[in-house]
Amino acid sequence: MNTLIQSCINNKFSKTPIWLMRQAGRYLPEFRFIRKENQDFIQLCLNTQLASEITIQPITRFNFDAAIVFSDILLVPYALGQSVNFKKDFGPSLEKIDFKILNDVKKENFLKKLNPVYETIKQTKTKLSSNNKDMIGFVGAPWTLLLYMLNRKSPKEGNFSVFPKDKNINNILMKLDEFLKIHIEAQIKSGASIIQIFDSWAGLLPEKDLEYFVYKPTKSLVDFIKQKKTISICFPRNINSYKKFVDNVNPDIISIDYNVNPLIIRDTIDIPIQGGLDPKILLQSKEAVKKEVTKYLKTFEKKRYIFNLGHGVLPETNPDMVRYLVDEVRSFNGQ
Ligand code: CP3
């Protein structure tokens, strides 16, 4: 049976599916309850039983059309031997790259370290299998991972510089290409029907560097996902031209941020589109939510559109507002 997302991308007249980036997270009291008892975030991601429970939490509450595995893009640097910590109110903190370790990573060891993630996908897939819902796996795009690996923390404005396209950078990009494909393949084998590629920091690059850091390495992953007959979604957040990205990378679905004008996207891009709504809207009134939701649904009414946000759900979001959002999207469709 086709899932709602598969029907949507095959037929523009189908109902609009909905899922949200960071749908499992701190805005949910049931997540905070588990998180409180599990201070080490990486170990929580690697606890199959809890990770599967967390993945299902937003499905139980809101009946979203897809589950996204509870994991993190920084598990890849972790499995490549670079330790990662999440400090409260600071975000991720990575140790300095050790090229000796990086160049020696073996596929078996990498897969062994991340095996709990694959088990989470398998277990969760079984729980979802009676429904027509997708199981979404994901990776960080090579550029965003490279940035975290070198910058060792979130690259807030001003605290990162563009890297030279030298041998070291090329070495890391090659390792990422190799191991991201291993990670993608293992997620697909475990039951992921869609892979989303998160390029959260694509918007930091000047136009002239996009080919080297974004288009070429992302296309390599998208082509690999296609070979595996799996759907790819790309989210090159804050990029200047989504149209150029789509022309160069050719994913199955493009996910957009909230800074881009949806009318321009509608009029220039022909592939299925996902997302856009500013997550900050969910901190406002129901009227504001209704107005913005209607704007996106109307704009993309004649296109193949998957409802989502323009970035992740904010931790301070009231779950009742997410309930309202889901109901609005479904009632627009007469569901
Ligand atoms: O979307 C989902 O529900 C699935 C799980 C998921 C997480 N991270 C769980 C998480 C996904 C898809 C991600 C992707 C991710 N992780 C990205 C790309 C998307 C984006 O937000 O731009 C990035 C850049 C990361 C790295 C990362 N992980 C950061 C910068 C942080 C700290 C800041 C923050 O947003 O909380 C995390 C932690 C993290 N990853 C949390 C969750 C639920 C919060 C953990 C907590 O403090 O309880």
Side-chain angles (χ1 to χ4, degrees):
M1 186 167 62
N2 270 349
T3 66
L4 202 53
I5 294 182
Q6 285 155 6
S7 311
C8 164
I9 66 178
N10 291 325
N11 169 15
K12 60 180 143 204
F13 301 111
S14 105
K15 292 173 175 165
T16 307
I18 174 169
W19 71 278
L20 304 181
M21 292 187 261
R22 288 287 172 90
Q23 62 190 22
R26 276 173 301 185
Y27 77 107
L28 289 179
E30 55 271 37
F31 172 78
R32 290 198 301 270
F33 181 78
I34 294 178
R35 181 75 169 101
K36 211 172 61 216
E37 305 295 313
N38 294 272
Q39 294 293 321
D40 185 331
F41 182 71
I42 296 278
Q43 287 313 313
L44 178 57
C45 292
L46 295 174
N47 180 327
T48 290
Q49 195 241 318
L50 290 179
S52 177
E53 192 179 326
I54 294 169
T55 304
I56 294 286
Q57 283 176 348
I59 309 296
T60 308
R61 230 189 220 262
F62 305 113
N63 193 24
F64 285 121
D65 296 306
I68 178 161
V69 59
F70 181 75
S71 169
D72 199 88
I73 64 165
L74 298 178
L75 285 185
V76 165
Y78 158 83
L80 290 174
Q82 188 176 10
S83 83
V84 181
N85 278 298
F86 284 86
K87 297 187 196 154
K88 206 170 171 356
D89 304 323
F90 178 79
S93 163
L94 287 77
E95 74 173 351
K96 204 166 173 337
I97 278 193
D98 181 334
F99 282 94
K100 260 213 334 272
I101 296 179
L102 181 68
N103 288 327
D104 269 358
V105 183
K106 300 279 176 294
K107 180 176 177 179
E108 300 74 50
N109 292 340
F110 177 89
L111 285 172
K112 209 161 129 196
K113 277 190 170 169
L114 295 185
N115 192 55
V117 176
Y118 313 132
E119 286 302 316
T120 302
I121 293 177
K122 272 186 212 156
Q123 275 195 22
T124 312
K125 179 91 179 173
T126 332
K127 294 184 208 157
L128 288 176
S129 62
S130 57
N131 294 304
N132 56 343
K133 297 185 193 302
D134 277 289
M135 179 73 226
I136 303 178
F138 67 89
V139 292
W143 159 248
T144 285
L145 289 178
L146 176 77
L147 194 51
Y148 277 107
M149 289 166 82
L150 290 173
N151 203 53
R152 301 170 51 205
K153 56 180 188 295
S154 287
K156 303 271 156 51
E157 255 71 48
N159 78 4
F160 100 102
S161 46
V162 172
F163 315 116
K165 298 176 186 110
D166 64 10
K167 244 178 59 202
N168 271 347
I169 298 292
N170 200 47
N171 181 10
I172 304 176
L173 285 174
M174 303 249 292
K175 285 283 163 203
L176 284 172
D177 184 68
E178 180 186 349
F179 283 93
L180 287 172
K181 284 175 182 166
I182 291 170
H183 190 38
I184 287 169
E185 181 170 30
Q187 293 185 72
I188 293 173
K189 277 192 178 150
S190 309
S193 47
I194 297 181
I195 299 290
Q196 175 148 332
I197 303 176
F198 286 92
D199 211 347
S200 307
W201 301 107
L204 291 180
L205 283 166
E207 185 75 30
K208 66 173 177 34
D209 288 326
L210 288 175
E211 171 64 28
Y212 180 85
F213 287 113
V214 172
Y215 299 157
K216 188 166 159 275
T218 310
K219 182 167 193 314
S220 171
L221 301 183
V222 164
D223 288 347
F224 182 78
I225 297 166
K226 276 192 192 145
Q227 269 173 34
K228 305 279 164 207
K229 311 240 176 306
T230 303
I231 298 167
S232 58
I233 307 180
C234 283
F235 180 40
R237 189 169 71 91
N238 284 351
I239 202 158
N240 238 318
S241 171
Y242 279 94
K243 159 101 177 106
K244 271 194 200 146
F245 178 91
V246 167
D247 288 347
N248 278 282
V249 177
N250 204 14
D252 293 310
I253 301 170
I254 184 80
S255 202
I256 59 171
D257 65 79
Y258 52 86
N259 292 313
V260 65
N261 180 347
L263 293 171
I264 294 179
I265 298 291
R266 181 193 68 189
D267 295 339
T268 55
I269 294 183
D270 267 334
I271 67 169
I273 292 152
Q274 169 178 280
L277 182 83
D278 188 341
K280 290 192 286 298
I281 300 287
L282 294 175
L283 309 179
Q284 301 177 15
S285 64
K286 283 190 175 167
E287 290 68 35
V289 172
K290 189 184 178 84
K291 185 165 160 264
E292 278 296 297
V293 167
T294 310
K295 180 181 98 183
Y296 279 93
L297 289 170
K298 283 259 177 231
T299 302
F300 294 113
E301 203 169 10
K302 298 205 164 62
K303 304 287 267 197
R304 292 167 294 172
Y305 183 58
I306 298 162
F307 202 94
N308 205 319
L309 305 176
H311 202 184
V313 182
L314 295 165
E316 56 271 41
T317 306
N318 183 338
D320 292 345
M321 208 52 123
V322 175
R323 169 86 267 153
Y324 180 74
L325 166 76
V326 173
D327 291 347
E328 281 301 305
V329 173
R330 295 222 161 110
S331 72
F332 186 88
N333 281 295
Q335 289 171 64

